[in-house]
Amino acid sequence: MARSFIVKQAKYRNLCVVPLFLCLLAACQSGPSGSKSNKAPAYVERPVDLLYNNARDQLSKRNYSEAVTGFEEVDRQHPYSEWARRALLMTAYANYQQNKYEEAIAGAQRFAALYPGNDSAVYAYYLIAICYFEQIVDVGRDQRMTELALAALNDVVQRYPQSEYARDARLKIDMTQDQLAGKEMEIGRYYLREGQHLAALGRFRRVVDLYQTTTHVPEALHRLVETNLSLGLWDEATKVGAVLGYNYPGSEWYEASYKLLTARGISPKIKPQRRSMFQKAKHPKSEVKKLKEPPAPSKSKSRK
């Protein structure tokens, strides 16, 4: 009888140990030695204006990563508010300031898609164009970004022709076209050096046909004269030389073409004009200022 009691008592003792062990194990897992990275961030709902203005303060201090986090929190906690709409565009701008062009473009595209009728939509389209524009590389490399910039700039002009952004976009369109024309010229010169005259003709003609307002047209016309003479197409060379002389009589390139033609017994009607010592070729601006912050809406509860 006594033995039976001892056995039962031991059985109950084991049953008490199990839950005690589980409690200790849980305490160890949640104790101070646990890593903070395993803890989910506490969700603290705050007033939307406080969230937005805190993010705006970080932006003013050029703490762009913190600003992005703050503006994203506005959208997370108050997704259907006017503040969230504004924060979306400010997030794109803050990413642009960090040269995170892909994130900035994605944010601006999202804003334009969600709010096409908003007054700030023009800024979103312009921001996309500027992000592409600032990634343009020299003519010796691939010009994919130049093509994307040109398309985005044209989009701004077509959608908002009377806006201040369209005026600036038109200037940058000239610059991107000049860049693309420069790429065509580089390839054409290469073909010419390699004796591939027909391929060179195609490149120089593209410059004349597609990029007529760029700084590369005078040289392109001269190269056409040079290439046609190399192919024995004297009549064609004479016609192109006449076009060059009529439009750019004071150009160094017409002077070079004039010498080539006269050396072969051809007498162009227009003689080269002496250029003034103050005459300079016009080139696109090389320096581009960073984009300014999007303007505040006309009616907004956000702090200016």
Side-chain angles (χ1 to χ4, degrees), residues 198-242:
L198 292 178
L201 276 177
R203 294 294 178 168
F204 298 139
R205 282 173 179 165
R206 279 179 59 84
V207 174
V208 175
D209 293 340
L210 300 180
Y211 307 108
Q212 295 181 3
T213 61
T214 68
T215 60
H216 298 281
V217 172
E219 183 187 355
L221 290 168
H222 166 68
R223 299 299 180 186
L224 285 173
V225 172
E226 182 181 4
T227 308
N228 280 308
L229 287 175
S230 298
L231 292 171
L233 303 174
W234 289 24
D235 289 342
E236 187 65 25
T238 302
K239 292 178 183 178
V240 176

Side-chain angles (χ1 to χ4, degrees), residues 235-290:
D235 289 342
E236 187 65 25
T238 302
K239 292 178 183 178
V240 176
V243 173
L244 177 56
Y246 180 79
N247 290 279
Y248 308 97
S251 167
E252 61 180 310
W253 298 111
Y254 180 59
E255 185 176 350
S257 289
Y258 187 87
K259 291 179 179 179
L260 285 177
L261 292 169
T262 55
R264 287 164 173 77
I266 302 172
S267 301
K269 295 181 179 180
I270 302 175
K271 293 184 178 182
Q273 296 178 4
R274 178 176 296 181
R275 288 174 293 159
S276 169
M277 62 180 296
F278 300 106
Q279 183 178 0
K280 296 181 179 179
K282 295 181 179 180
H283 294 280
K285 296 179 181 178
S286 57
E287 296 184 0
V288 180
K289 296 180 180 179
K290 294 288 286 185

Side-chain angles (χ1 to χ4, degrees), residues 6 8-18:
I6 294 174
K8 289 182 180 180
Q9 189 179 43
K11 184 184 299 185
Y12 291 129
R13 188 186 304 120
N14 292 337
L15 291 176
C16 294
V17 169
V18 172

Side-chain angles (χ1 to χ4, degrees), residues 36 40 90 93 125 141 184 187 201 209 212 224 228 260 264 266 273 280 291 301 303-304:
K36 292 182 179 180
M90 295 298 285
Y93 173 73
Y125 283 106
R141 301 167 64 183
E184 295 291 341
I187 298 173
L201 276 177
D209 293 340
Q212 295 181 3
L224 285 173
N228 280 308
L260 285 177
R264 287 164 173 77
I266 302 172
Q273 296 178 4
K280 296 181 179 179
L291 181 63
K301 297 179 182 179
R303 188 175 62 192
K304 296 295 190 294

